[in-house]
Amino acid sequence: MVDSYDVIIVGGGVTGCSTACFLAAGAFEGSVLVVERDPSYANAPSARAAGGIRQQFSTPENIRIGLFGAEFVKNAARYLSVDGQVPELGFKERGYLILASPDKLETMQDNHAVQRQLGANIAYQSNEDLAARYPWLATEGLAGGFLGLENEGWLDPYSLLQAYRQKAIALGVTIVNDEVMTLRQHANRVSELVLRSGRSLACGVVVNAAGARDATGIAAQVGITLPIEPRKRCAFVFECREQVGPTPQLILPNGVAVRREGERYLTVVAPPPERDPPSTDFDIDYALFDDIIWPALAERIPAFEAIKLSNAHSCHYDFNTLDENVILGHVPNVDNFLIAAGFSGHGLMQSPAVGRALSELIDFGEYRTLDLTRLGYQRVLDNEPLLETNCY
Ligand SMILES: Cc1cc2nc3c(=O)[nH]c(=O)nc-3n(C[C@H](O)[C@H](O)[C@H](O)COP(=O)(O)OP(=O)(O)OC[C@H]3O[C@@H](n4cnc5c(N)ncnc54)[C@H](O)[C@@H]3O)c2cc1C
């Protein structure tokens, strides 16, 4: 027997579940199914991300996406309540502080102008401002930094994911624990999905939200090549006898990110390209901590010269080798197949805007709120990257 759904979403991470929520909450009246193979999300970045939300980007689309991400999270009561219960997302609105090295200052000032113009409340901080605000920070050699005064910070990723799931279910979405194995095509449409359980599903529209390790394989089944690789990211938790902070989400000039989490500190860095091959293993790269993270931390925060590593975990994100931005929307020659993958470390904060955008494409055949056309697959075909400047 072949079941049928109007929309089938492959992957129930934040992207898939947000899309389901926006579809079900909006004008769309059809049936929506999310297929998720691992509801424990043990290895999904949606549950293991650092949870950061910011507007400090250079591309207007990403700034606006970040603004909506913050609005969504701060209005969880409106968007995510179920039976009057407001989910606790643990949003800490403590800002991102991105430190500027003198050679990056001009670029960051240009980005800052765009951010301000679009309504992001980001402030330049001179070295003197930084020293006054953060006495634990060594400012020598810096050219100040840029601080998010509102709408930036971090939340608990697992709570956001669960809130999306519960809301989607409450709105009538079906979420099934199974795995999409095969996509069958008829003419220029995906006509049927076959699941690991043996179930066959006819579909109106398919959304590929299968994440770092699978979005590429799912797309390849319908002849679409995605420039996306799984790249491993290691997060380290450490202790320091001397209490530093509370801190904002601090980004050092070499890209090391660190923030205080309770009595401990969480740090992560994207490895340099030569140490960042495609990867699906979960081995912790402790050398990254010793070679890159710790020296940078100790240089900028002298208290961190004496720290003790207490924990580490790793996960993969969907790295877009063309331009490190999401690939969103329709693809050529497969009329009912949409993609949202390639977030390159920004998919959690982008999930509200991306879910809303996909629901608009499905509902109306066009973007209605934010025009995200430039993030579409066409730029892959044209080999025209949409690059961020000074992005982490
Ligand atoms: C260490 C780390 C830190 C990060 N920090 C941040 C941050 O601070 N801010 C931010 O915005 N982003 C951050 N990210 C990135 C963010 O986590 C991802 O961009 C986001 O979670 C992507 O969500 P997704 O739903 O697209 O993919 P995923 O979370 O990968 O979800 C895809 C889901 O699809 C399922 N699936 C795959 N194939 C199939 C199939 N065939 N059938 C059924 N199910 C399938 C998988 O089981 C998975 O649950 C971080 C990532 C990492 C690794």
Side-chain angles (χ1 to χ4, degrees), residues 11 13-15 35-37 45-46 49-52 180 210 214 345-349:
V14 286
T15 303
V35 186
E36 170 53 53
R37 69 163 170 232
S46 284
V180 173
D214 300 276
H346 309 133
L348 199 90
M349 68 180 97

Side-chain angles (χ1 to χ4, degrees), residues 223-227 322-323 327 330-333 376-385:
I224 299 296
T225 303
L226 294 179
L322 178 73
D323 60 13
I327 300 170
H330 289 285
V331 296
N333 303 325
Y377 187 72
Q378 191 59 43
R379 77 184 196 280
V380 179
L381 293 175
D382 297 341
N383 196 24
E384 280 185 4

Side-chain angles (χ1 to χ4, degrees), residues 66-78:
L67 281 168
F68 182 62
E71 190 216 307
F72 183 89
V73 164
K74 289 167 85 171
N75 291 284
R78 174 149 62 94

Side-chain angles (χ1 to χ4, degrees), residues 157-304:
Y158 189 74
S159 299
L160 177 64
L161 175 60
Q162 287 303 328
Y164 278 135
R165 269 183 75 106
Q166 297 315 317
K167 183 69 180 180
I169 291 167
L171 290 168
V173 171
T174 305
I175 302 183
V176 65
N177 175 13
D178 212 327
E179 182 171 3
V180 173
M181 304 301 288
T182 308
L183 283 75
R184 297 214 167 105
Q185 231 178 308
H186 182 71
N188 56 349
R189 295 181 69 79
V190 180
S191 54
E192 190 181 341
L193 304 185
V194 183
L195 309 189
R196 181 177 284 282
S197 61
R199 213 173 148 192
S200 276
L201 301 169
C203 52
V205 172
V206 178
V207 176
N208 178 2
R213 288 183 295 158
D214 300 276
T216 302
I218 294 287
Q221 290 200 43
V222 294
I224 299 296
T225 303
L226 294 179
I228 294 174
E229 295 172 349
R231 297 279 182 93
K232 186 167 64 180
R233 294 293 173 262
C234 299
F236 301 90
V237 177
F238 64 88
E239 295 163 33
C240 177
R241 196 168 295 154
E242 200 177 317
Q243 289 295 314
V244 172
T247 68
Q249 175 64 67
L250 180 64
I251 312 280
L252 306 185
N254 73 341
V256 169
V258 66
R259 71 179 188 231
R260 184 164 164 179
E261 281 280 352
E263 298 300 300
R264 297 177 181 187
Y265 305 86
L266 175 72
T267 182
V268 64
V269 72
E274 67 279 9
R275 290 171 69 166
D276 193 24
S279 156
T280 51
D281 71 64
F282 289 87
D283 301 340
I284 304 293
D285 184 357
Y286 287 100
L288 205 57
F289 184 82
D290 293 336
D291 300 346
I292 296 177
I293 294 179
W294 191 12
L297 290 177
E299 184 195 357
R300 280 291 152 221
I301 304 170
F304 287 168

Side-chain angles (χ1 to χ4, degrees), residues 307-318:
I307 58 179
K308 192 171 117 203
L309 197 56
S310 54
N311 202 349
H313 69 265
S314 69
C315 200
H316 305 91
Y317 64 56
D318 41 343

